[in-house]
Structure formats: C-alpha cells, structure tokens
Amino acid sequence: MGYESAWLSYKENHTLKIPWNGSKIYADTWGKTIEAAVTELQRAVKEICGMDMGITGQEEEAGILLKKEQDNALGEEGYKIQCRDGRLTVTSQGEKGLLYGSFACIRMLQTKEEFSAEEKTEKPSAPLRMLNHWDNMDGSIERGYSGNSFFFEDNKILVNERTRDYARLAASVGINGVVINNVNVKDRATWLIDEVYQKELQRMSEIFETYGIQLFLSLNFAAPMELGNLDSADPCKEAVQQWWNDKMQELYTRLPNLGGFLVKADSEGRPGPFTYGRTHADGANMLADAVAPYHGKIIWRCFVYNCQQDWRDRKTDRARSGYDNFRPLDGQFRENVILQVKNGPMDFQVREPVSPLFGGMEKTNEMLEVQIAQEYTGQQRHVCYLIPMFQEVLKFRTYCQEDRDTVEDIVTGKTMGNTNCGIAAVINTGNDENWTGHDLAAANFFGFGRLCFNTSLSAEEIAKEWIVCTFGHDREVQEKILQMLMMSWKTYEKYTSPLGIGWMVNPNYHYGPNVDGYEYDRWGTYHRADHLGMGVCRGKKGTGYAQQYREPNASMYENVQTCPEELLLFFHYVPYTYQLKTGKTMIQHIYDTHFEGAEEAAYMADLWDSLEGKIETKVFERVQKRLAHQKEHAKEWRDQINSYFYRKSMIPDEKHRTIY
Ligand code: GCU
C-alpha cells in the first residue's frame, strides 16, 4: 500500500534564500547514521530548494558541514548549529547528534527560520524518548485507529521501505527507542525472543540503529513455561533465572543493539510474579540481571490494579493501586529497571490527576507513559491535540523535594541525577496512507517527539512547526489549523465526561457515550451518580487516594474548596446544586459545557470547510469527513450526558435548551 510522507513531505519553496554557499556537503567522519543524515539533507534541499547537493572530501569547498567534536556538555545526542561566512555547520559529539542536528536544519528550512551566525545549541531533555506500539503479530493493533500494523502481518515480521520511512519520521523528532509489539504478549508474540524471528529482527534493528533508534520488545513473563517447558516462571527459582540468562545471551549475540524489554506483568490477566507470591521487584530484578551484561534495560509497567472490584466496596479504588503496589518497593529495583507509570492513576482519560507514583518513589527510575493513540480521546476520528495535556502533566509539582520536583524534573533525570528515565507514548500509527488515520492526529506524534526533545517548547510552538511542515506557508491555513488544534482537547473534554470523572464511554471499545457503561461493569471505575449528586469520594473518609500525594497536594485535593475544579468529581462526591467558582451549579456547568463543546465541534468543522481549495483535495476530504462525524458525535455526547443528568437530578436547564 502506498503512503505519504507526513511532516517530511518537503515542500518546494524556491523563494527561500539559501544561507550557505556552494552545493557540497562535507562530513569529517562517516558511519551509517551520518550517511542517513547526509542523504536526508540532500533530499530535503533538493525538494525544498531545488538544489542538488553533492558530497566532498574537501572541507573548504563545502556549504554544509557535519563535524564530530568532543563536547561533553552536548553529549552524543546534543548538537550545535551555526551558519557563518556561507557555511552551515552542525557539530556534535556523536553521530546521533549530527542526525538530530541535520533534521533540525531541515525543519528550519521548512519553517523558514533564519540560520544565525550565533551558535544554536540543543540537547534532548529526556534521556529516553520512546514509542510503544501495541501491534499484534497477526497484524492487528490493540487500540489502533489507523489501519493495521506495518511491523507485523500473519505472524510474520515486515521489514521494508516503510520501516525506514517510519524510522525517519521518528528520528526527525528525536525518538530514540521503539517497542514494536503489544504489551499484552500472547501467542506468537511470545516467540519474538526465539531464534525463529531473529533474522528479521536483526534487519529491523539495523534500520532503526541507522536512525539512532534502539529496538525494544515487550515480553511475556511466562515465557520460560511457554517456550522453555519449565513448570514455573517463579523469579526466585534458579532454573527460571538461568533460563532467562541463557535466553538473553542468545538474543543479544544476534541483536547487540537491543535496548531491552517492556513488561506488563500481573496486570489485566497477564502473568507475573504474584502467581508465586513474589513482588514486582523480584520479577523485574530477575530480568534486569539477565540483561545487565548487555546494558539492557527492563521497563516495568505499573498498570497494576484489581479489575474485579465489587461495586459495594467503597474502599477499594483502582486509582490507589499503582501506588499501593509499588511505593513499598521503592529502593528495591536494580539500576537498569525503570518503572513506567501512566500519566494518571486510571487509564488515559481526557482529564486525570497526575499519578502519585511521581514523587512517591524516591529511589527508583521512572518513565512517564502517555497515550497518543486516542483510545479515550476520540479514537482519531475526533481531533484532540494532546500536547497541552502532556505539558500540564510535566509541569505538575510533586513536592518530593524543595525544588526540581516536577514530573518533568523526575523523568528528565534532574531530580535524581539519573539517566534511566524518560517519556514513552503509546503511538497512534498504522498502515493507513497518512500513518495516523486522522491527518491532524499526526500533530500528536510529531508533538510528542518534539516535546520529549525539548520540554520547554510550548504546545503552540510545536503545533505551528507541525502545521508549516505538513501544510506549508499559507497564513489562513496556519491560523485556522492552529486554532483547531489548540482548542481541541478542551472541546473534547467539554462534550464528554465532566469535571474529571472520566469513563462514561462504551465499555471495551471505549468509543461513544455510555454514562452507566462502566458503572455496571466489573472493571471498577465508577461515577457514583444518584439523584442528589455524583463523584467519587477519594479523601480520608472515602478511598483515601488523595492522601497518597505529598503535602500540600494531599490537602489541596482533600479539601473540596481547594480541589482544582476540573478534577472536582474525581476527588469528591458533590450535590448537583454545588456551586462552582464560576457561580454556576455543578449541574448547570454540565449542561453549559456540553452545549458549548458541541458548538465548538461544529465550529471546527466550519473552520476546516473554509479552507477548501487551500489544502490538497485528498487530505481536505479525509479530514472533512472526520470533522463532520465529530460534529454529529459531539451532539450525541451532549444529548446523552445532559439527558441522563437531567433525568437523574430533575433540575432543569436555566437556559431552557432542548434536553430530552
Ligand atoms: C488499557 C487498554 C488496554 C491496554 C491497557 C494497558 O486498559 O484499554 O487495551 O492493554 O490499557 O495499558 O496495558
């Protein structure tokens, strides 16, 4: 199937004044990553400026220079860009830095940013900048909304030009690690660590390596039983440890660049150390010891909760479980173990508080996990630009120490001075022509990478870059798409579940309104609405979840007056007549936001319609269709939510709008 180039579609711009003299590129060292950087520069300059760039071995005759230079402050991934006396020079200590610097120059050409005689220095904020694919070996994608996998088909691994083009996209925004298979490792995927798949993995890993990306795999904790015929996977049994040691030795001999493994254990039915009465530290450390000789990492997920909670039990709380399970193990994990924590304590809702595991662990490496596959945020049929949300998460102060205590500080290594930390996103790609189903969803892929590389960029700056790289320089196009992206998350929040309560979606596939869908399900996520009010009491008198935070956060959430209102119902049960800071009652707020949200969805569709003729027809129509759906679907959300709460509360809308 053919596919497009997303933000790497280098658009012709002959008006651009080329800031370097001559048409030659010089590199003072060669390796496959530098080769890739040079090829990319050649391609971009040709497509954007119409100029053929040759290669020279003579530094004096070059217009673009890639130079390796000892500079510990920059490290292997940082770079400097300088344009002086007709020469554009990129310097770095490592090949990866030169690749990132080259992509940065290309982006400057795309966005017409001026090259300066002053050195521009950049170094990635997060050490690990990872994408997690939830791709299954049969080619399907768990929570995939843009076609099938481009890594797997019929239990085979695909390695082809698309693998390279994917790596180019990822590298262009600074991604340096990719997990190719679903965290739920079952059936054939368990065999990915077996010899049968090594050849293809080797080829894939080499392509990735060229683009500075380490290949990671998700693994099955029960593999010693399923592959090795052992009768147990007990991490404290010598035979099990030995099995893993042997397996890793075999694997790393063939795949020396393998970054390590992502593990979902004792979570939603997946096997793990609990079966043997062992802890997550026992499980993670066993694997960590097996990969340590090869500098491998074990990324251990904290998405562990009881998914069979009894509805009568008002003390058990899914939100508590990550902290309850992992906090007691702080300090027990090996140095090459990283705990991967979802941004919120539940599951990627449109609004959640930050997980108290950030700041709750003082001696443990942590990665932040976000989801740009829009499982709960419109499944890539609705526009939802998520970078503003991720920024809020990163800025959250945990108070784990006096300063350098934000989530950003923790995952960029500033809090603990560690390098085994970073940010991972459950990625939104598939084999659709445009990679992400919704064309505007590509802004999340691009934006995620850019944000991890430079956490000080604003969501708006990132959006602007993406728009220009993708759609070119038309002013109106830029302004309108920017407006759509920047309003989209809040708009989505307005017409879906209110005030941080979350869920209210159809169980299982998580699309479309269903207020009681999860209320009467076994998964243990409740809104507790009755005829008087709604919300979950998570303070001391309720589940006690608020107390998992450090002060002053714990008190802030505990107290209904100081609890941020966007999270009011997450932390408190309040009556429908409760007065918000705006002066509105809670029920009126629900009505108003739902009417507003649906109107805003219609407004976004109008904005897009007004760009007809300015955007390539195929793309225009693709997006138009989705926006038309979003507009209708937002009305459905509005009506279901409003009618439900009107009938529960019997309090009419002050503005007398139609509520059924
Ligand atoms: C969610 C999602 C699952 C996924 C799980 C996870 O529950 O719906 O499909 O497996 O998260 O993160 O492991």
Side-chain angles (χ1 to χ4, degrees), residues 314 501 527-539 560 568-576 578 586:
R314 287 184 181 244
I501 193 75
H527 53 63
R528 307 278 189 203
D530 54 25
H531 69 293
L532 296 173
M534 104 167 117
V536 182
C537 182
R538 290 196 159 103
V560 69
L568 183 67
L569 302 178
F570 190 93
F571 283 99
H572 298 277
Y573 173 94
V574 298
Y576 294 114
Y578 178 86
M586 186 259 272

Side-chain angles (χ1 to χ4, degrees), residues 354-385:
V354 166
S355 166
L357 274 173
F358 292 109
M361 307 289 272
E362 287 157 41
K363 295 170 245 154
T364 305
N365 298 320
E366 285 183 329
M367 296 279 276
L368 166 67
E369 178 179 313
V370 295
Q371 191 189 42
I372 58 185
Q374 292 169 235
E375 178 177 356
Y376 295 95
T377 49
Q379 304 200 346
Q380 288 147 246
R381 299 173 77 187
H382 294 228
V383 193
C384 195
Y385 178 55

Side-chain angles (χ1 to χ4, degrees), residues 143 145 268 303 305-311 318 346-347 349 375-376 379 497 501-529 536 637 644:
R143 313 305 177 185
Y145 311 106
E268 299 184 330
F303 189 56
Y305 67 99
N306 172 4
C307 50
Q308 311 259 354
Q309 183 189 340
D310 189 293
W311 63 276
R318 177 169 167 178
M346 299 299 272
D347 194 11
Q349 301 303 295
E375 178 177 356
Y376 295 95
Q379 304 200 346
S497 76
I501 193 75
W503 307 94
M504 300 193 177
V505 285
N506 282 300
N508 191 15
Y509 57 95
H510 300 161
Y511 194 69
N514 186 344
V515 179
D516 282 337
Y518 271 103
E519 204 64 14
Y520 298 110
D521 198 88
R522 72 176 167 97
W523 288 88
T525 51
Y526 302 103
H527 53 63
R528 307 278 189 203
V536 182
W637 266 101
Y644 180 100

